[in-house]
Every structure is written in structure tokens, then in C-alpha cells.
Amino acid sequence: MRNIKLLMEYDGSRYDGWQRPASGARGMTIEEKLEDVLCRMDNEKVEVIGAARTEAGVHASGQVANFHTGTDMSCLEIRHYLNRFLPRDIAVLEVEEVQERFHASYLAKGFRYEYHISIGEVPSVFERKYNYYSFKRPDVKRMREAAKYFVGEHDFAAFSENKRMKKSTVRKIQEFGVYGDEKEVLISVTGDDFWPYMVRIMAGTVLAAGRGEMAPSEVSLVIEGKDRAKAGERLEARGLFLTDVFY
């Protein structure tokens, strides 16, 4: 069996996230759409492995996946087939045959996400599916000051909404950048791993600092306190993009 690696992008607006429901019931997920097309291509059941389990409404410009197949189609033919039959809001950018041991999820060393916040007197109708709108203009300098407290290895329990989370909540953030102009603020976060809603809560926390709702230095206390109630709001999914997976 061949092991095929995919680089993908998708508009997550109408999907229930990447992963099919744990119950086994059918849903509206990226994984299911991709597997449906691959099953037709292979004429047998195909299981797709995604690097990141993006949440409902979250987009991706750099998702990585892999699957095993017995097809003799070339990588170019596979790409053409997938893009012909997948919905128009899912696209396969690159197809590559890789070693048998490659596993898109287990071998991932890190991820980069971007969160987009638009600013202005009137929300843009063209950006409404891809940006969070802030009616109050945030202070980017304060946001950058707050962001620096996230960098490094910390226990990020305060940024989880799963009270029964069994896995360790210690993560390492390599980079947390905030970039802004008159119309938009871009938050870029790179780390070794993230759980559901984590980036959106972190973005909401630095935005709260930018709006003057908390002091930038309070982020350190929030991390140390491990109390979700002290962190910022969970921002909407529509502003979040998975941009890179590192191996």
C-alpha cells in the first residue's frame, strides 16, 4: 500500500470541524467529505488521518493529512481527481507519496494558527466569514505586551474549557505575535500542540488587554492561577485559520 500525503486548504464556515463524530454517526465534516471522494477513487474504504482536528467553523490554509491506497494513479492524477469531486470550499494543494511510517498527526512537531480581527466603523460584508469584528479599536501595543507572557512552556489549564481533561495541560508556545494596522489585527501563534478552543481563548485574552479590560501583566497571573474564569472570552471560530503544520 502507498502512503499519500496531502496539503489542503478549506473554508470551515459550513462544517462541523475536521473530525467525524466520535459516535460514528455521519456529520458534516472535512474528514468525511475527503474520505467519501477517496472511497470512490479507490472503490474501497479509505481512512484519512489529519494533522489537526480543527473545530467547527475554523478554516485552514495549511492542513496536512495522509491516507493509504492501492491505486496506481500518479500524485498529479490524485490531486486532479480530488479537486474535481470535492466541494468547492475544500481544495487539495499538493499530493506527495511518502514513507510508510509517515503519520500526519503523530509526527507533527508543531502548529501555527492565525486569528484575524477586523476593525472599522462598519463591518465588511466581504470579511464576515473570515474575521472577528471588534467594535472597539484595541491598543496593539498592549496586546503585544500581554502576548509575551504566553511564550515558553507553561500549564495552560486556564485556556481549556474541558474540566475533565485527562491529558497534561502543559504546552510550549514558541511564538505569539500581534500585528496591526488601521483595518485589521492579526494574531499569530506557534506551539507544540493545542486543544479545542485554546487559541481562541488566548486571542480573546490578549484582545481584552488591548481593549483595556485587563492589564497586560494579568496574563501571567491567569496562567499561574489556572482558572478559566479569569481568562478572556472564547472568540468566534470564523476568525481562526490553521496555517502551518511542522514536522
Side-chain angles (χ1 to χ4, degrees):
M1 297 287 281
R2 301 163 65 198
N3 192 9
I4 303 297
K5 175 184 175 184
L6 307 176
L7 177 64
M8 305 174 58
E9 65 180 15
Y10 48 83
D11 177 344
S13 302
R14 70 188 184 103
Y15 293 99
D16 300 322
W18 169 268
Q19 189 178 25
R20 75 167 60 246
S23 64
R26 288 194 60 82
M28 184 68 168
T29 68
I30 307 293
E31 183 182 56
E32 287 172 287
K33 292 296 183 183
L34 184 56
E35 287 182 346
D36 286 348
V37 175
L38 286 171
C39 287
R40 276 190 284 163
M41 184 186 82
D42 258 17
N43 200 28
E44 63 181 6
K45 185 176 181 181
V46 177
E47 180 181 352
V48 174
I49 300 164
R53 298 174 181 177
T54 52
E55 306 130 31
V58 174
H59 316 293
S61 59
Q63 173 71 292
V64 176
N66 75 287
F67 66 95
H68 291 86
T69 178
T71 184
D72 58 1
M73 294 170 65
S74 70
C75 289
L76 183 60
E77 288 172 330
I78 293 173
R79 190 184 73 177
H80 286 169
Y81 185 94
L82 291 174
N83 287 325
R84 178 183 177 187
F85 293 106
L86 281 168
R88 295 305 181 195
D89 48 10
I90 303 174
V92 176
L93 306 177
E94 297 177 12
V95 176
E96 176 187 3
E97 187 166 353
V98 291
Q99 295 180 347
E100 174 65 26
R101 62 179 294 273
F102 179 80
H103 190 288
S105 178
Y106 292 159
L107 295 181
K109 302 296 184 184
F111 305 85
R112 178 181 290 127
Y113 285 89
E114 290 183 357
Y115 197 88
H116 296 251
I117 301 170
S118 63
I119 305 164
E121 294 183 2
V122 180
S124 169
V125 297
F126 301 110
E127 297 176 352
R128 70 189 187 281
K129 293 198 299 181
Y130 310 109
N131 287 50
Y132 171 86
Y133 182 76
S134 177
F135 288 92
K136 184 175 181 180
R137 181 178 297 277
D139 184 326
V140 174
K141 185 176 180 180
R142 286 174 60 92
M143 292 177 71
R144 288 175 181 151
E145 179 69 18
K148 73 180 186 180
Y149 292 101
F150 285 108
V151 178
E153 187 172 89
H154 306 286
D155 187 334
F156 289 103
F159 303 89
S160 170
E161 294 187 349
N162 183 357
K163 296 180 180 179
R164 298 181 180 181
M165 192 165 179
K166 297 179 180 180
K167 296 182 179 179
S168 170
T169 48
V170 174
R171 295 290 185 273
K172 185 175 182 179
I173 301 299
Q174 288 96 7
E175 179 263 347
F176 199 123
V178 181
Y179 313 92
D181 57 27
E182 297 262 334
K183 296 183 178 180
E184 184 180 40
V185 174
L186 172 66
I187 296 171
S188 177
V189 186
T190 304
D192 59 356
D193 197 11
F194 299 92
W195 50 78
Y197 312 137
M198 181 176 172
V199 178
R200 290 158 60 187
I201 298 171
M202 295 166 80
T205 302
V206 296
L207 180 59
R211 287 170 169 170
E213 298 165 5
M214 63 187 295
S217 59
E218 285 184 57
V219 172
S220 178
L221 300 177
V222 173
I223 294 172
E224 292 175 5
K226 304 178 186 179
D227 184 354
R228 170 67 187 93
K230 301 295 184 182
E233 67 173 309
R234 184 221 303 172
L235 299 185
E236 297 169 347
R238 62 183 176 177
L240 185 62
F241 290 75
L242 170 67
T243 63
D244 294 281
V245 181
F246 303 104
Y247 292 94

